[in-house]
């Protein structure tokens, strides 16, 4: 187990984050809008091979989520039809909203965004997570803005990632 260096505090918060597929209405496999449910706890699962003809927007292999999305595809023995590769989750989400393809995103997008033109699904065979945390150095001056940020993180992040 890795331990933080002595000059670093333990994480002030640590949460597990999973991944979702953002699918625009124009590419959604369900034509009945009543099948779209709100909230991550109601995010339906989808079988990746069913999306073999649909274009995908992937993040570059240099990006953590780019590596994870490729691992998800490999686990499902799925070869996505890649339309474009970008370097930002926000860009991938924006392109998905414009109907360019399906994007792998952190679950926070499904938890904090509500757009009528996008559906969120979880891959049915992949349930891995990654840790998200905030870590900071101790024994240095923390100005008021930084202390306010820490207080905000302590309040907001647990609310976003509360057990579904």
């Amino acid at each position: 187990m890795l331990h933080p260096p002595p000059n670093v505090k333990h994480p002030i918060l640590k949460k597990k984050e999973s991944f979702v597929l953002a699918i625009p209405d124009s590419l959604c496999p369900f034509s009945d809008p009543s099948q779209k449910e709100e909230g991550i706890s109601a995010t339906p699962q989808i079988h990746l091979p069913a999306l073999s003809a649909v274009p995908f927007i992937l993040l570059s292999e240099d990006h953590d989520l780019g590596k994870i999305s490729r691992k998800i595809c490999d686990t499902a023995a799925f070869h996505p039809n890649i339309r474009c590769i970008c370097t930002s989750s926000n860009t991938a989400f924006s392109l998905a909203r414009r109907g360019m393809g399906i994007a792998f995103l952190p679950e926070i997008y499904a938890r904090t965004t509500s757009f009528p033109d996008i559906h969120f699904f979880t891959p049915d065979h992949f349930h891995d997570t990654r840790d998200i945390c905030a870590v900071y150095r101790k024994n240095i001056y923390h100005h008021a803005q930084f202390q306010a940020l820490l207080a905000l993180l302590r309040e907001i992040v647990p609310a976003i990632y509360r057990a579904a």
Side-chain angles (χ1 to χ4, degrees), residues 2-3 14 24 30 40-41 45-46 53 58 70 81-82 84 94-95 98 113 120 125 131 141 145 157 160:
L2 295 174
H3 297 283
K14 184 175 179 180
F30 304 113
I40 192 75
S41 63
Q45 293 189 344
I46 196 162
L58 295 183
R70 284 164 179 79
N81 173 14
I82 301 171
C84 99
S94 180
L95 292 171
R98 287 171 176 74
T113 60
F120 293 101
H125 61 282
D131 291 331
Y141 172 73
Q145 294 88 347
V157 171
I160 291 172

Side-chain angles (χ1 to χ4, degrees), residues 23-32 35 46 50-51 102 119 121:
I23 304 179
D25 272 344
S26 61
L27 301 174
C28 188
F30 304 113
S31 58
D32 181 2
Q35 293 187 31
I46 196 162
L51 303 171
I102 295 173
H119 303 265
F121 294 87

Side-chain angles (χ1 to χ4, degrees), residues 45-67:
Q45 293 189 344
I46 196 162
H47 191 60
L48 281 177
L51 303 171
S52 61
V54 181
F56 274 75
I57 301 159
L58 295 183
L59 292 169
S60 71
E61 293 183 43
D62 296 339
H63 195 286
D64 185 43
L65 187 54
K67 292 175 190 167

Side-chain angles (χ1 to χ4, degrees), residues 57-109:
I57 301 159
L58 295 183
L59 292 169
S60 71
E61 293 183 43
D62 296 339
H63 195 286
D64 185 43
L65 187 54
K67 292 175 190 167
I68 293 167
S69 61
R70 284 164 179 79
K71 180 180 174 185
I72 292 170
C73 292
D74 289 345
T75 301
F78 173 69
H79 302 285
N81 173 14
I82 301 171
R83 175 169 279 172
C84 99
I85 296 175
C86 55
T87 59
S88 159
S89 296
N90 287 337
T91 301
F93 181 60
S94 180
L95 292 171
R97 286 207 54 229
R98 287 171 176 74
M100 295 290 296
I102 295 173
F104 285 97
L105 297 171
E107 73 173 291
I108 195 165
Y109 282 85

